Amino acid sequence: MADRPDILVLNGPNLNMLGVREPAIYGHDTLGDIEEACHARADALGLAVDFRQSNHEGELVTIIQQARDTHMAIVLNAGAYTHTSVAIHDALALSELPVIELHLSNTFKREAFRHHSYISGVATGVIAGFGAHGYLLALEAVARLVGAEGAGDEENGA
Ligand code: DHK
């Protein structure tokens, strides 16, 4: 629906391999399963989701740059670029959009190199450790941030 706030849900490297990739850490859902669940939750929240994935840092930067003029918020699982990419940090800063940093796993329970994030300093908030459900939590947070119609329905019994 054209008048719904458009939310970019952006996925970085190796997230296209969800379902077969280390399921004990990342779960059994595929990225397609997650995309479907995001569209369903977005409908309930009065949001429109633009769900994307790239394995390429520069492409992620370009998508974020373009979102500045076309989207209301960004939910970003930057994968391993979370821990390495100044370029993605800078793109998020120039987007001037609310950003939810998202991770399937609790990165703080894992290797030390996953404890630092270049995203957190430019994120509105961070969700980590809830598996695929984290995407839905992120959409709920975004609905509040952008004042979407369905925001708050859950606790109101809707
Ligand atoms: C996904 C990745 O691909 C890792 O490189 C991050 C993140 C964690 C996740 O938990 O979703 O370190």
Side-chain angles (χ1 to χ4, degrees), residues 11-15 18 21-22 25-26 76-83 102-107 110-111 113-116 127-129 131 135:
N11 297 279
N14 298 310
L15 293 165
L18 288 179
R21 176 191 185 198
E22 299 178 272
I25 297 173
Y26 297 107
L76 175 62
N77 185 346
Y81 289 139
T82 301
H83 318 297
L102 176 65
H103 305 288
L104 293 147
S105 63
N106 178 354
T107 48
R110 301 182 62 195
E111 303 95 322
F113 66 83
R114 297 185 204 274
H115 296 180
H116 177 261
I127 295 172
Y135 283 76

Side-chain angles (χ1 to χ4, degrees), residues 53-110:
Q53 190 274 334
S54 174
N55 290 324
H56 304 282
E57 185 177 16
E59 192 176 344
L60 293 165
V61 167
T62 299
I63 293 169
I64 293 166
Q65 288 177 1
Q66 289 166 349
R68 178 189 159 97
D69 297 321
T70 51
H71 293 71
M72 296 281 287
I74 301 174
V75 174
L76 175 62
N77 185 346
Y81 289 139
T82 301
H83 318 297
T84 63
S85 181
V86 177
I88 291 176
H89 166 104
D90 288 353
L92 292 169
L94 74 81
S95 79
E96 295 180 20
L97 292 171
V99 174
I100 308 295
E101 176 182 355
L102 176 65
H103 305 288
L104 293 147
S105 63
N106 178 354
T107 48
F108 296 100
K109 268 171 87 172
R110 301 182 62 195

